[in-house]
Amino acid sequence: MGSLSRKELDALVEDATVDCCNEDEQLTGLYTMIEDNLAMPFATQVLGVEVTVRKVDLRGQRIVAICHRGRERQAIAILDLPLPDPPPDGSEWIEAYRHWGG
């Protein structure tokens, strides 16, 4: 991540929030773009343990990734989630979310 220019990130944020009236609606717009575009499931490492991200969720005022390992599940703020290399398709929306919250 970090490969998009400020102009490209601004354009993504604009696409996600074009009809939004307030910050809550903007967050929902960004969540929808992440949910619709992030290629899931994908595997990544959290604290040295491999987990599978199967979905994202909107909890309170943040977007979280739902990480699975066996029968265990853990919600991790998507901005704190280490992405694999290469990152999954659609991860530019996570970058746009980070830029928006900047």
Side-chain angles (χ1 to χ4, degrees), residues 7-89:
K7 185 175 181 179
E8 291 169 317
L9 291 169
D10 287 342
L12 287 174
V13 170
E14 177 65 23
D15 285 348
T17 62
V18 67
D19 292 326
C20 299
C21 297
N22 59 42
E23 205 168 278
D24 287 342
E25 288 181 9
Q26 291 174 4
L27 178 62
T28 300
L30 286 157
Y31 162 72
T32 299
M33 293 305 239
I34 292 171
E35 182 181 44
D36 289 350
N37 293 288
L38 186 61
M40 293 178 277
F42 65 89
T44 192
Q45 296 275 323
V46 175
L47 297 174
V49 176
E50 184 169 300
V51 298
T52 301
V53 176
R54 294 200 176 128
K55 70 178 200 169
V56 293
D57 199 5
L58 186 56
R59 297 201 176 162
Q61 294 298 309
R62 65 185 187 148
I63 300 170
V64 298
I66 308 301
C67 300
H68 294 255
R69 179 171 166 86
R71 293 175 163 230
E72 300 293 321
R73 287 188 312 154
Q74 178 72 40
I76 297 175
I78 201 144
L79 296 181
D80 294 334
L81 182 72
L83 293 176
D85 187 19
D89 289 344

